[in-house]
Amino acid sequence: MLAEYLARHAAWHLGEALPLSSGASLRAMLDFWAKKGLDISCCSLKDACGLAPQTAFSPAFLADVLRYMCLESAYADVFMASIPLAGKEGTLRSLAVDVPGALRLKSGSMSGVRCYAGYYTLPASPYILVLMINRS
């Protein structure tokens, strides 16, 4: 429910008129990313929380969102800090404990699907990681 509320609030913040339907808020989110230059043709959003089996987007789209947030967003530092540090925090606290650099990942799963997305940062530069596994 929180994700649905946040989507509607973000859509309102982007200029959508109240009251907002779920569909209007999802269209506002896709329009936002399209205006940032991302290809939204691979996106099929049926809800904001990602629990609807019909909600789908490509790993490339998610990588583009992560690239934008890391390299172009004014909120890059805040966004990066919001992603748990694997080996220390979150659901991946026992993963990659001894990996050099910083591995910041979010995980998500539901029946038959596992996803990981985030950044692997070494002193030279950050790398974007997106792994989506279906029928796992």
Side-chain angles (χ1 to χ4, degrees):
M1 187 156 44
L2 178 61
E4 299 299 329
Y5 168 78
L6 288 173
R8 289 177 193 219
H9 185 78
W12 172 71
H13 183 72
L14 292 169
E16 294 294 319
L18 296 175
L20 279 164
S21 68
S22 177
S25 64
L26 296 174
R27 282 189 300 280
M29 296 296 100
L30 291 176
D31 289 346
F32 172 83
W33 288 116
K35 289 176 184 171
K36 301 293 182 192
L38 277 67
D39 178 12
I40 61 168
S41 66
C42 63
C43 298
S44 172
L45 302 183
K46 302 300 180 195
D47 65 357
C49 65
L51 293 177
Q54 302 87 356
T55 292
F57 49 86
S58 71
F61 174 77
L62 186 51
D64 285 344
V65 168
L66 292 170
R67 181 201 47 76
Y68 175 85
M69 292 305 298
C70 180
L71 300 176
E72 298 179 42
S73 174
Y75 304 103
D77 292 338
V78 173
F79 180 75
M80 187 78 77
S82 75
I83 301 174
L85 190 58
K88 296 185 180 181
E89 306 167 333
T91 58
L92 300 177
R93 74 179 57 91
S94 62
L95 176 76
V97 175
D98 295 325
V99 170
L103 180 60
R104 292 194 170 275
L105 287 175
K106 282 293 291 166
S107 64
S109 62
M110 54 195 277
S111 181
V113 178
R114 293 200 187 279
C115 298
Y116 303 93
Y119 305 93
Y120 179 47
T121 306
L122 293 170
S125 67
Y127 296 89
I128 294 168
L129 300 173
V130 177
L131 178 62
M132 295 181 170
I133 305 165
N134 290 313
R135 301 184 189 201
S136 60

